């Protein structure tokens, strides 16, 4: 960590040109390392044949073609798979926002028996490895007759301890007087949550929504466990099947990977400011 | 997250104090609150009970049975065997215990390398990016965060491609004179490889003759396997960005004036970082380490996608999955999952103890 060198000079000259250049060089080097794999996969998906894999030329932006992307899209039926993933992610995100909002409100503003104990239980659910519950949940879904259905995919993911925790943190920072005043104005709990508390926690809601969407979009194990027909497959399962077990289909897989990551990358670039702000709001004096 | 939380409940005590003064008015209002509380809580509560809490209770019961998954867990096909599943994993010598202790070893090296590496890298990036005058800040932030948003499947595929024999990584290493390394299905530990370079090819007898959980000391000190090393690099590459973002969020709460004041007092850069920034970031750092510990012990997807446990990359979480889903040994799988849960609890508890509030922070 170069910036951690012991340094006795007064920090006022911290903006010395050498320092600044050094800092940028460092950032660029790290960015290159971080982005290199992304570049490799992008290039691979834009090349025509698998024979280019071993060739250093495969990393250069030459001989580009859309054919591989187009082929992967058709061969893997990625249009439908994307739609499945999209529906699943939107439903889960909406559900998590609603259940987290109401639960966080109850924990932050309302007094009821067992409140502290229940909150500890909510937190503890975050520690449980999914492998403990997934075998049983798979059976639950099957016995409910929800195998190979959107309901089965979505319902078990609708509540998280994490979402409740994050929003409760934000709610606790709202001035208590706000609630007092609202109740004097005759504003009920549902109205107060919807009209005052929720809008005030918009940055955290945005961050939570974004993170939930990302996680759900990237889910692999759960969809794999409850879906075995092609009609309800999600994108992540689809791209893992693109190679059909043949190594020389690596181009198709990379193309599928690019297609699956594209919407997420766009979302990230568009909303990353909200992400930092939302995390900040939730993190104050955690 | 838990660690940051459980210790103190912010505002609550404050709120309670105020409540003292307004008890009568409150009492009146509170009568309706219980009902509303349960009403608001019920959606989350019902879902968590159905899909987390009851499954845990069932899994706990199943861990004391021998059950092949036919019928229900309470049907005749599941017979009560008491502690047998746990004994097979922990005390009785045999293949089950050997597989378990090997997976434990593999995951331990993964945790011990990934958690410090990703935390330090994330901290380092966050501190550099948190400069007011830095240009292109949002570009760098997005670039560093980019790997975190990719799915395990996508990232796994990328790394298989990069580390393949004759792939990009080996080509680059070749420029520096390294011979083609086989990264996959390579269960040799890197410490063992290193010992071999030093001329220690066979284990000294005192290391080979002692064992813990059925695995010889020599095998415990193997280091991560070459295959696991790829997954370690992958994990650091993927998660550092997320944690950087969390630390950055924490840094936004550190007023710039604090740094300026420190600078005025003649504090050097390293001093400012160590004495001002790090203590103010303590909560976020604890959070990041806790999440890191939980995440690394639960590591699963990457192995599922990349190695299927080959090349000494089997972990307890994956072993539980394989014995439950594929081998239909649900009792053993559940016992394993509970031991893993216990390990996670112990690690987070120890970490909480080490980072508990004491003078001057870290």
């Amino acid at each position: 960590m170069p910036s951690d060198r012991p340094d006795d000079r007064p920090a006022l000259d911290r903006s010395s040109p050498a320092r600044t250049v050094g800092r940028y060089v460092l950032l660029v080097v790290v960015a290159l390392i971080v982005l290199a794999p992304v570049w490799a996969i992008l290039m691979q998906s834009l090349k025509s044949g698998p024979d280019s894999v071993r060739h250093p030329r495969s990393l250069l932006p030459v001989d580009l073609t859309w054919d591989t992307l187009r082929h992967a899209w058709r061969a893997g039926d990625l249009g439908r798979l994307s739609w499945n993933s999209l529906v699943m992610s939107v439903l889960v995100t909406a559900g998590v926002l609603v259940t987290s909002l109401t639960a966080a409100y109850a924990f932050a503003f309302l007094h009821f028996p067992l409140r502290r104990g229940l909150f500890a239980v909510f937190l503890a659910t975050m520690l449980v490895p999914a492998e403990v519950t997934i075998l049983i949940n798979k059976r639950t879904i099957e016995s409910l007759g929800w195998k190979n259905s959107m309901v089965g995919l979505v319902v078990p993911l609708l509540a998280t301890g994490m979402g409740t925790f994050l929003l409760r943190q934000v709610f606790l920072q709202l001035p208590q007087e706000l609630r007092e005043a609202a109740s004097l104005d005759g504003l009920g709990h549902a109205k107060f949550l919807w009209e005052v508390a929720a809008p005030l926690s918009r940055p955290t809601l945005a961050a939570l929504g974004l993170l939930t969407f990302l996680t759900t979009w990237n889910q692999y194990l759960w969809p794999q466990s409850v879906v075995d027909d092609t009609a309800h497959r999600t994108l992540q399962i689809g791209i893992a099947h693109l190679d059909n077990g043949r190594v020389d289909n690596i181009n198709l897989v990379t193309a599928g990977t690019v297609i699956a990551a594209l919407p997420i990358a766009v979302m990230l670039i568009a909303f990353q400011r909200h992400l930092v702000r939302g995390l900040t709001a939730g993190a104050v004096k955690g | 997250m838990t660690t940051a939380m459980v210790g103190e409940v912010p505002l609550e005590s404050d709120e309670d104090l105020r409540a003292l003064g307004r008890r009568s008015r409150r009492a009146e209002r509170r009568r309706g609150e219980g009902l509303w509380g349960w009403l608001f809580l019920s959606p989350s509560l019902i879902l968590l009970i159905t899909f987390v809490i009851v499954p845990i209770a069932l899994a706990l019961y199943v861990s004391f049975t021998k059950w092949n998954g036919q019928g229900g867990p309470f049907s005749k096909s599941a017979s009560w065997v008491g502690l047998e599943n746990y004994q097979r994993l922990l005390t009785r010598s045999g293949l089950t215990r050997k597989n378990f202790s090997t997976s434990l070893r593999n995951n331990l090296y993964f945790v011990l390398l990934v958690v410090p590496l990703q935390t330090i890298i994330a901290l380092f990036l966050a501190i550099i990016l948190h400069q007011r005058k830095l240009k292109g800040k949002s570009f760098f932030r997005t670039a560093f965060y980019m790997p975190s948003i990719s799915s395990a499947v996508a990232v796994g595929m990328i790394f298989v491609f990069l580390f393949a024999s004759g792939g990009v990584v080996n080509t680059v290493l070749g420029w520096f004179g390294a011979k083609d390394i086989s990264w996959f299905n390579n269960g040799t530990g890197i410490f063992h490889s290193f010992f071999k370079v030093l001329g220690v090819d066979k284990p000294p007898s005192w290391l080979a003759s002692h064992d813990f959980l059925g695995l010889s000391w020599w095998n415990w000190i193997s280091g991560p396997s070459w295959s696991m090393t790829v997954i370690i690099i992958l994990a650091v590459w993927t998660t550092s960005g997320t944690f950087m973002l969390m630390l950055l969020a924490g840094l936004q709460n550190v007023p710039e004036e604090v740094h300026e004041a420190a600078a005025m007092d003649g504090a050097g850069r390293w001093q400012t970082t160590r004495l001002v920034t790090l203590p103010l970031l303590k909560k976020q750092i604890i959070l990041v380490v806790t999440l890191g510990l939980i995440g690394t012990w639960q590591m699963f997807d990457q192995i599922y996608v990349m190695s299927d446990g080959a090349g000494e990359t089997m972990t307890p979480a994956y072993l539980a999955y394989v014995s439950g889903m594929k081998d239909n040994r649900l009792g053993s799988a559940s016992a394993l999952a509970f031991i893993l849960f216990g390990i996670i609890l112990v690690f987070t508890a120890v970490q909480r103890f080490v980072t508990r509030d004491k003078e001057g922070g870290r």
Side-chain angles (χ1 to χ4, degrees), chain A residues 28-259:
Chain A
V28 168
V29 168
V30 176
L32 280 178
I33 295 172
V34 169
L35 292 179
V38 179
W39 174 260
I41 208 83
L42 193 64
M43 283 303 111
Q44 198 55 50
S45 73
L46 293 171
K47 300 297 170 89
S48 57
D51 54 347
S52 53
V53 173
R54 303 240 152 98
H55 209 274
R57 227 175 122 77
S58 66
L59 293 177
L60 300 176
V62 289
D63 309 330
L64 300 184
T65 166
W66 294 109
D67 285 353
T68 310
L69 283 169
R70 223 176 280 141
H71 185 186
W73 180 265
R74 253 183 282 122
D77 199 6
L78 297 189
R80 177 169 47 186
L81 269 50
S82 306
W83 175 250
N84 287 343
S85 284
L86 182 71
V87 172
M88 177 184 172
S89 307
V90 167
L91 289 177
V92 169
T93 306
V96 164
L97 287 180
V98 171
T99 58
S100 306
L101 265 177
T102 54
Y105 184 87
F107 283 128
F109 288 111
L110 301 172
H111 296 259
F112 54 94
L114 298 179
R115 184 174 74 156
R116 272 163 193 264
L118 282 173
F119 186 65
V121 170
F122 269 57
L123 290 182
T125 59
M126 293 197 278
L127 296 177
V128 181
E131 293 74 35
V132 180
T133 53
I134 208 159
L135 297 168
I136 308 274
N137 284 344
K138 181 178 157 110
R139 283 165 180 278
T140 312
I141 293 300
E142 280 166 3
S143 62
L144 286 167
W146 288 351
K147 199 169 184 222
N148 289 323
S149 74
M150 190 50 79
V151 189
L153 274 174
V154 166
V155 170
L157 305 176
L158 286 181
T160 63
M162 180 79 162
T164 307
F165 169 77
L166 271 180
L167 282 169
R168 175 183 172 270
Q169 291 296 99
V170 180
F171 284 166
L172 284 179
Q173 286 155 36
L174 299 179
Q176 193 69 22
E177 290 73 29
L178 217 56
R179 177 72 203 105
E180 308 264 331
S183 81
L184 286 180
D185 287 347
L187 213 57
H189 292 293
K191 273 207 150 161
F192 179 69
L193 169 58
W194 189 247
E195 287 172 12
V196 183
L200 282 175
S201 26
R202 208 173 283 150
T204 305
L205 282 174
L208 178 62
L210 200 60
L211 288 175
T212 310
F213 191 94
L214 294 185
T215 337
T216 317
W217 182 268
N218 289 337
Q219 281 270 358
Y220 183 73
L221 188 57
W222 178 242
Q224 173 84 332
S225 310
V226 286
V227 164
D228 57 14
D229 67 353
T230 43
H232 294 91
R233 259 190 195 170
T234 60
L235 202 48
Q236 304 299 338
I237 305 179
I239 58 176
H241 280 99
L242 269 176
D243 64 351
N244 267 326
R246 284 170 54 195
V247 191
D248 53 357
N249 281 339
I250 180 85
N251 275 41
L252 287 185
V253 178
T254 56
T257 308
V258 169
I259 293 171

